[in-house]
Amino acid sequence: MHPIVTGNYRIATPAIQAFLELINRCLRYRTTGALIYGPSRIGKTRSIEYLRLLMAETHPKITTYHVQAEHKPRHAEGPFFTNLLDAVGCPDPDRGTNPSKRIRLISKIREACTKNGSGTAIMFVDEAQRLAENEYEWLRDVQDHLDRMQIKLFMFLVGQQELYSIKVNMQRAGRTQIVARLMVDELAFFGIRNVHDVASCLSGYGETAFPQETDWTFTRFYLPEAVDDGYALIQDAQILWDEFVTLHNKASLGSKLEIPMESFTRAVEIVLKESELQDRPDFRPSREMWRHAVRNSGYVQARVATARILSELAKLV
């Protein structure tokens, strides 16, 4: 099935570019930990997947991992290392004592680095605001152990805004050993903020092909005749932005317009799917079609759901 149908695709955004620059900066200056925080549904998890694929192409010797921090009532060492072992691809991750799990984790990372011919590994920890202080300490211990083996493990803690509050609270409490190792640099992840960002993202649909190495771009798959006649989604960037502006103001959201990636991609997907049966050389999606897509993108619901959380966090920082 086409990636637009399954949702299994990645489009580069200005925020992802900023994330990539943060990674490169940390690698260059040997900064072993950084925070990436932002509202839910803004595209942070997809950015991890995109960047891992990109790093595999541009830095094939660097081993990367994606750990999903779990919500749990108790923050015990055993389940924590089981989750890490699963993320690094270790078979039977729940086997063994806590110390043996830690050793297996370190051995697995070392083995992967040796195989790739590099002493560098990157671990993205998603939903990192769920971690307890002990778990941050255990991550630091893993870094220390690998460092003694001449392997640098870079941690990128990705999560919601409360992750930044955790850093601030640790600084206030004097927990500088965690901050100085895992939370040195930071990036406030952002959505789509202006028409230029819209154009940048829309261009991705006209450049990404499926199957790869063909000229069947995402846009052309749904609108082959229109695309062959010169149409590209980027031509409607201003219309799409204006419709989000109108919806934002009509809903009286108050805060500055910032489109979550999930809402943006849903709007584009609606237009592509609705346009498929209307394709012809002179076809162009109408403003009304874009308006319908924006209204059904879930943008208002997403912003309302996060507004209260943002207000509460602003008081803490």
Side-chain angles (χ1 to χ4, degrees):
M1 298 180 71
H2 195 276
I4 291 288
V5 177
T6 63
N8 187 26
Y9 68 95
R10 312 289 173 257
I11 294 294
T13 69
I16 290 178
Q17 180 60 37
F19 196 165
L20 177 61
E21 291 172 0
L22 172 66
I23 293 172
N24 288 331
R25 187 166 65 246
C26 288
L27 291 173
R28 185 166 58 250
Y29 299 139
R30 314 294 283 177
T31 303
T32 55
L35 300 183
I36 300 87
Y37 58 92
S40 61
R41 302 301 179 186
I42 207 168
K44 300 185 298 298
T45 297
R46 287 199 170 193
S47 73
I48 294 173
E49 297 162 355
Y50 182 98
L51 289 168
R52 289 192 69 206
L53 290 172
L54 183 62
M55 294 292 290
E57 294 178 3
T58 60
H59 297 79
K61 291 187 176 182
I62 295 180
T63 305
T64 68
Y65 301 107
H66 183 180
V67 177
Q68 184 74 28
E70 298 177 335
H71 173 73
K72 45 192 177 297
R74 292 179 61 251
H75 297 273
E77 188 175 7
F80 175 74
F81 278 101
T82 294
N83 190 33
L84 292 181
L85 284 167
D86 186 50
V88 302
C90 199
D92 198 10
D94 200 32
R95 174 175 55 84
T97 63
N98 294 345
S100 69
K101 288 180 181 179
R102 186 188 299 240
I103 295 301
R104 286 170 63 209
L105 172 68
I106 291 166
S107 297
K108 186 68 175 178
I109 295 174
R110 182 187 184 186
E111 176 186 326
C113 288
T114 301
K115 182 178 179 181
N116 288 338
S118 168
T120 302
I122 291 175
M123 184 173 285
F124 298 96
V125 183
D126 203 1
E127 298 294 350
Q129 77 280 350
R130 294 174 174 173
L131 298 179
E133 186 172 320
N134 280 343
E135 292 170 310
Y136 289 117
E137 290 282 12
W138 295 330
L139 287 176
R140 194 168 66 91
D141 290 343
V142 170
Q143 273 189 334
D144 286 342
H145 198 141
L146 287 168
D147 190 59
R148 292 193 294 270
M149 303 168 77
Q150 305 301 310
I151 294 173
K152 282 290 183 183
L153 177 61
F154 293 83
M155 294 280 186
F156 293 94
L157 306 178
V158 182
Q160 298 180 27
Q161 278 98 331
E162 61 190 276
L163 184 58
Y164 180 72
S165 299
I166 290 172
K167 174 180 177 177
V168 172
N169 291 335
M170 282 189 176
Q171 289 173 320
R172 290 172 177 170
R175 306 296 290 168
T176 55
Q177 69 276 17
I178 295 177
V179 175
R181 186 68 65 82
L182 303 177
M183 305 176 175
V184 182
D185 212 333
E186 60 193 47
L187 170 67
F189 201 83
F190 52 90
I192 297 170
R193 302 174 293 184
N194 52 55
V195 68
H196 300 293
D197 289 355
V198 172
S200 176
C201 295
L202 287 179
S203 67
Y205 288 87
E207 297 169 356
T208 307
F210 180 83
Q212 294 184 7
E213 310 302 330
T214 70
D215 58 358
W216 283 97
T217 66
F218 285 7
T219 312
R220 187 168 182 243
F221 179 85
Y222 283 91
L223 296 169
E225 294 187 43
V227 168
D228 288 346
D229 191 56
Y231 175 68
L233 283 175
I234 194 174
Q235 296 167 9
D236 291 340
Q238 189 66 57
I239 295 175
L240 179 54
W241 174 254
D242 289 344
E243 290 303 326
F244 270 109
V245 170
T246 299
L247 182 64
H248 180 89
N249 293 335
K250 186 176 180 179
S252 302
L253 294 175
S255 57
K256 187 177 179 180
L257 172 59
E258 187 172 331
I259 310 170
M261 199 59 191
E262 185 177 60
S263 302
F264 177 84
T265 55
R266 184 176 295 136
V268 175
E269 290 167 6
I270 289 172
V271 167
L272 288 175
K273 293 173 182 177
E274 293 289 325
S275 300
E276 185 176 15
L277 296 179
Q278 305 179 51
D279 182 40
R280 59 183 184 276
D282 62 344
F283 173 78
R284 302 293 183 268
S286 65
R287 179 177 287 274
E288 181 56 39
M289 183 178 287
W290 282 111
R291 182 176 300 125
H292 167 77
V294 170
R295 287 175 178 172
N296 288 277
S297 67
Y299 170 72
V300 172
Q301 295 90 327
R303 291 304 298 265
V304 169
T306 58
R308 178 180 57 81
I309 297 174
L310 292 174
S311 176
E312 291 176 355
L313 289 172
K315 298 175 183 177
L316 297 176
V317 178

